[in-house]
Amino acid sequence: MAERFGSDPERGLSTEVAGRHLATHGTNELRVTKPTPAWQRVFAQFRDPLVYLLLGAIAISLAAWFIEGSEGWPTEATVIVAVVLANAALGFVQEARAADAVAALAQMTSVTSSVLRDGERKRIPSSELVPGDILVLEEGDAIGADARLFVSASLLVQEASLTGESDAVMKRTDTLTHPAPLAERTCMVFKGTSVVQGTGRAIVTSTGMQTEMGSIATLLDATMEEPTPLQKEVARIGRMLGTAVVAIAFVVVATVLLLSDIKDASDVITVLLLGVSLAVAAVPEGLPAILSLVLALGVQRMAKQNAVVKKLSSVETLGSASVICTDKTGTLTRSEMTIKRILTASGGSTVSGVGYAPVGKVTGADGEELHDLLRAEQIVALSGGSLAGNAELEDTGDGFWAIQGDPTEAAFLVAELKLGVAERREQRFQRLGELPFTSERKMMSTIESDREHGCERLIVTKGAPDVLMSHCTRIRVGMDVLPFDEARRAKAVADVNRLSEEALRTLAVAYRPLAAEEGRAPTETLENDLIFVGTVGIIDPPREEAGIAISEAHRAGIRVIMITGDHPRTASSIAAKLNIQNAEVGALTGAELDLMDNDTLHEAVRTNSVFARVAPVHKMRIVDALQASGNVVAMTGDGVNDAPALKAADIGIAMGVTGTEVTKEAAKMILVDDNFATIVDAVREGRGIFENIRKFLRYLLSSNMGEVMTVFFGVVGAGFLGLTEAGGGSVVLPLLATQILWINLVTDSGPALAMGVDPETDDLMARPPRGSDERAIDLRMWVGVLLNGFVMAIATLFTIDLYLPGGLFPGGTGTLDQARTAGFTVLVFAQLFNCFNARSETTSAFRHFFANGWLWGAIGLSVMLQVAVVHLAPLNVAFGTVPLSPQQWLACFVIASSVLWFSELRKIVWRSLGPSIMSKRQVEA
């Protein structure tokens, strides 16, 4: 088969051949749903009830124009058409940008596969796999293509996604003697399945639609992402506003028709157009597109900070996280595994140097050269640890050493090179089989053939010291093997404790020769009567930034829990250094959790923040206990067995460096750098995104309320404002329908989008986590929305009254067109001033006043458009405006700013009352 594809089982495909196969067979992807053509997405912008209203308004306007004799150009209808087209263009662009952002995220989280190319092991996107590629399979890998196994070591594959069978299948390399159903093809692995245990190598036979998964692809439906809770809430508000505003528009139209002197059909048309425009303007129809775009852009920013969020809905949950359950190794620590101490029966040694470069040496505890007996034990310990592992160490030629595989296993290879015995071990031993590490067994064993002793077989094991010692009955002392009696066992345990108290991660090594009659297949029964060699202490120093991040998490009201498979003393020591928990409290172990019922466990989880020697099942119980107490839980994981806990957690976080492909698929977020500080940064960003969404909701709703109240109170109070007198008894409106649509077009999209990328205004990490029942638009926001809307309406109507001869402020000398233009301009400016109000519920608008360049750009563009609509003759005709003098522009600016000063006053009052209100709530709680 390898010959057929031009491949080599030991070297894989060459880059040239792989390129030819890719051109021939295409990318390794299943048939996906055909993308919606651009023209269909454009027409989709018009499938909206509010657009139907505007189309109705166009029809009404054209009918009126026709009835009146078709004189001149139908200006009003033309303006409404232009507004509809402009809104459609904005909606199309916003949706396209959101889709592009989501597609970019999908690319970031694509599945990868480990292959041999040009004789080197590489990790490539699974979409680039081609027939003939040699897959290197390990626990946790997502299998990227159909392939024939030719090497298998205790390989278990979960094929439920393909066959429906819940039990994992043990795979072998034996050729099938007869055709078999899919579930019984034990020499094959298939695309879409995953490795749950063991290792193997296989040659790819089929990719893309030629795979077994591809053959049923036509039965698979494209998965549509569920709307997030926030999107559902916004949709609900939109429906509620739509219903309310249609009712208000109906009342306004009825009131105008009853109170005004309707002289002809033109007056009726004017009133109807006002009602339609009011309904359209009051509902922020662009809100869903803006919301999706802001979420997508926010998630892209998080990806640049090494936190890849796979689903937009997870952003909301991030802002609510109250507990972060994190692993220790690589997340809170640097994952720069270096063996520093080796303790065996005859004493100990110290290993100098750090990192993966084999620069340093192994010396006695006093710095002297190792004596013969101690050196013999150290050789067995380091070479044994190297044999019982799958890591590879590579000199890149520039002084930098790279590793493939587990960093802990690589630490043995580095220390062995420092001792100078690696080459002999490589020549002496040949691997015959493997018992892979699992989180339940906490051990790994290999079966080796010793060429120096007549190809004698032996088993070499490394694992957690407490687990491994229970399998040992003898101990290596110099060149001798002695009984592992109580005294020697006690010393070995004391060695482990000593290393753990020094915050060193501990691993032990054991071995034994195998008898000729013992089976050749690697089984767990061989892992008994082992000869204990010794324990190594591996340094993995805490990340400096982790301590800072944990303090920041505590400040934000987020509890941090460490869950690790390490020794309890090591876990407690690291936790104390990082201020997670006092060392005196100690760590709870998985064995202790097993003895607890659910009530006891809930109490233990409430009071303990460090858990050691835990298995994945314990992670599940801890998550369940925390969620039962009302917590929103973020959980990290890297191993294949962590996947259920990640799915159960509110925010499952997979490690990008050490995490398996299965874990990444189960997670909602991937840490590209495996760094705890990135999680806290992501929580801050998540809170910031949610806060920005509240900002533009606050802005849009209050601005639209201003429009509704202006028209409603202007119609109801037309007699008080001098509008009735100015119109000579005919239908007179505070704003024209086209002016309302203009306001909606100019002030809604640009500023709202700019607020979606607003820098942090308040100290978001000084707040407690957002409650799961807390709405995005709460009562306090609604009060602010209505008050600001009311002030904008009063300012607009005051301006109109100021210009008209009659009304509450007599003495005005302006015409109706001047008054309406000034009121129209004041309302536009008031909404632009409202942008600054909306940036915070309590913080002054003048704090970080110039921080958001995008917002200033959007405001500047809106001002220029408003100047154009007031001073350009064609737009004067279209929108019923007249030019204003510089003094009138200044007056409009000053009056419009009243909404800013009112909001500042309201914030001062709230800030003065806020502390006492919070204190009262705490006392009541």
Side-chain angles (χ1 to χ4, degrees), residues 505-521:
R505 189 179 185 190
T506 56
L507 277 177
V509 177
Y511 76 100
R512 77 173 173 89
L514 296 176
E517 63 272 12
E518 290 187 276
R520 303 190 69 84

Side-chain angles (χ1 to χ4, degrees), residues 782-793:
W782 275 120
V783 171
V785 162
L786 294 174
L787 285 175
N788 281 353
F790 181 74
V791 172
M792 282 189 272

Side-chain angles (χ1 to χ4, degrees), residues 316-325 550 553-561 609 623 625-635 650-651 676 679 683 687 767-772:
E316 298 171 46
T317 317
L318 268 174
S320 304
S322 57
V323 178
I324 300 175
C325 296
I550 288 170
H554 289 163
R555 191 171 73 89
I558 301 171
R559 182 182 172 199
V560 178
I561 295 177
S609 295
V623 169
L626 288 168
Q627 290 175 328
S629 301
N631 289 291
V632 176
V633 182
M635 167 73 78
D650 299 283
I651 312 161
F676 178 83
I679 302 176
V683 170
R687 289 186 177 190
R767 304 176 183 176
R770 185 171 60 90
S772 56

Side-chain angles (χ1 to χ4, degrees), residues 13 179 181 249 313 363 372 487-488 533 543 687 797:
L13 291 172
S313 57
T363 60
D372 291 343
R488 294 188 178 97
V533 178
R543 295 177 183 264
R687 289 186 177 190
L797 296 176

Side-chain angles (χ1 to χ4, degrees), residues 502-832:
E502 295 174 15
L504 297 176
R505 189 179 185 190
T506 56
L507 277 177
V509 177
Y511 76 100
R512 77 173 173 89
L514 296 176
E517 63 272 12
E518 290 187 276
R520 303 190 69 84
T523 62
E524 292 184 24
T525 57
L526 301 179
E527 295 176 324
N528 290 301
D529 192 29
L530 298 176
I531 302 168
F532 187 79
V533 178
T535 305
V536 300
I538 303 174
I539 188 173
D540 187 15
R543 295 177 183 264
E544 293 179 8
E545 64 271 25
I548 299 171
I550 288 170
S551 298
E552 187 74 349
H554 289 163
R555 191 171 73 89
I558 301 171
R559 182 182 172 199
V560 178
I561 295 177
M562 178 196 290
I563 304 177
T564 178
D566 268 358
H567 193 280
R569 291 176 185 262
T570 305
S572 294
S573 177
I574 294 290
K577 288 182 179 180
L578 294 173
N579 198 29
I580 294 176
Q581 179 174 281
N582 291 331
E584 294 77 20
V585 178
L588 276 178
T589 65
E592 291 172 316
L593 296 180
D594 287 334
L595 301 176
M596 297 180 182
D597 59 23
N598 286 337
D599 291 338
T600 308
L601 176 67
H602 286 195
E603 179 62 23
V605 169
R606 189 181 69 82
T607 56
N608 289 269
S609 295
V610 181
F611 298 87
R613 286 286 188 257
V614 296
V617 66
H618 299 130
K619 284 190 173 185
M620 283 288 293
R621 292 191 69 196
I622 292 170
V623 169
D624 291 342
L626 288 168
Q627 290 175 328
S629 301
N631 289 291
V632 176
V633 182
M635 167 73 78
T636 69
D638 52 11
V640 61
N641 290 329
D642 288 333
L646 296 192
K647 281 190 174 181
D650 299 283
I651 312 161
I653 304 173
M655 301 296 103
V657 178
T658 60
T660 62
E661 292 297 329
V662 171
T663 312
K664 293 174 186 176
E665 287 184 356
K668 297 180 179 71
M669 187 172 93
I670 299 173
L671 286 188
V672 176
D673 57 358
D674 289 12
N675 192 342
F676 178 83
T678 303
I679 302 176
V680 178
D681 289 342
V683 170
R684 176 190 288 275
E685 188 70 38
R687 289 186 177 190
I689 292 170
F690 188 81
E691 185 63 20
N692 284 349
I693 289 169
R694 285 173 57 89
K695 289 177 186 179
F696 72 67
L697 286 173
R698 192 182 295 124
Y699 166 72
L700 286 175
L701 293 176
S702 57
S703 296
N704 287 4
M705 283 299 103
E707 296 170 32
V708 172
M709 291 181 182
T710 296
V711 174
F712 182 74
F713 292 130
V715 168
V716 173
F720 296 102
L721 298 172
L723 283 169
T724 304
E725 182 180 340
S730 62
V731 177
V732 179
L733 304 172
L735 295 174
L736 298 177
T738 51
Q739 291 173 346
I740 293 175
L741 293 176
W742 173 265
I743 295 171
N744 197 45
L745 178 67
V746 168
T747 65
D748 269 14
S749 295
L753 272 175
M755 272 185 278
V757 294
D758 199 42
E760 188 174 315
T761 306
D762 301 325
D763 186 358
L764 300 178
M765 298 302 274
R767 304 176 183 176
R770 185 171 60 90
S772 56
D773 58 345
E774 185 179 335
R775 288 188 175 277
I777 308 175
D778 53 18
L779 179 61
R780 180 173 157 191
M781 184 188 286
W782 275 120
V783 171
V785 162
L786 294 174
L787 285 175
N788 281 353
F790 181 74
V791 172
M792 282 189 272
I794 294 300
T796 303
L797 296 176
F798 168 77
T799 304
I800 294 173
D801 191 3
L802 204 61
Y803 274 79
L804 294 176
L808 296 175
F809 301 95
T813 58
T815 64
L816 177 59
D817 285 340
Q818 281 181 324
R820 195 179 273 150
T821 300
F824 170 44
T825 301
V826 164
L827 185 53
V828 169
F829 280 8
Q831 293 195 10
L832 297 179

